């Protein structure tokens, strides 16, 4: 099975959210879409976690650069 790219999973997740918000789906379709959305959300979170771990490893290899947690701040702006 081919690996799903983060960008493809995110695009599918955004499409599911759009359809659910617009009420385009029946109850059964909504439940299936919700289930697929949960799967895609977990996949995206896992890929982001993996990317974060890889960046931390690269930074450590580059001489012990300080690693700070990512914080979006109160309005979602990263500072």
């Amino acid at each position: 099975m081919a690996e799903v790219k983060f960008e493809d999973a995110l695009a599918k997740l955004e499409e599911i959210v759009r359809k659910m918000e617009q009420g385009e789906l029946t109850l059964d379709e909504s439940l299936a879409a919700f289930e697929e959305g949960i799967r895609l959300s977990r996949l995206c979170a896992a890929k982001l976690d993996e990317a974060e771990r890889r960046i931390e490893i690269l930074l450590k290899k580059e001489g012990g650069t300080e690693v700070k947690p990512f914080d979006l701040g109160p309005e979602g702006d990263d500072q």
Side-chain angles (χ1 to χ4, degrees):
M1 184 172 178
E3 183 175 336
V4 178
K5 292 182 180 178
F6 172 82
E7 292 79 7
D8 294 338
L10 184 60
K12 286 181 182 178
L13 184 57
E14 289 173 341
E15 178 67 17
I16 288 170
V17 170
R18 185 192 62 76
K19 285 182 178 179
M20 292 183 79
E21 286 180 341
Q22 293 180 349
E24 296 176 356
L25 304 173
T26 65
L27 177 59
D28 288 338
E29 290 171 335
S30 293
L31 289 172
F34 182 78
E35 185 175 307
E36 178 69 4
I38 293 294
R39 186 187 69 78
L40 291 168
S41 173
R42 289 180 179 156
L43 188 147
C44 288
K47 290 196 175 280
L48 288 173
D49 286 344
E50 180 184 336
E52 184 178 4
R53 284 192 305 273
R54 291 178 67 189
I55 289 170
E56 287 176 3
I57 290 168
L58 289 170
L59 289 174
K60 286 178 184 175
K61 285 183 179 178
E62 294 296 323
T65 304
E66 181 181 355
V67 178
K68 294 182 176 180
F70 184 73
D71 183 17
L72 288 177
E75 298 294 324
D77 297 329
D78 59 334
Q79 300 173 25

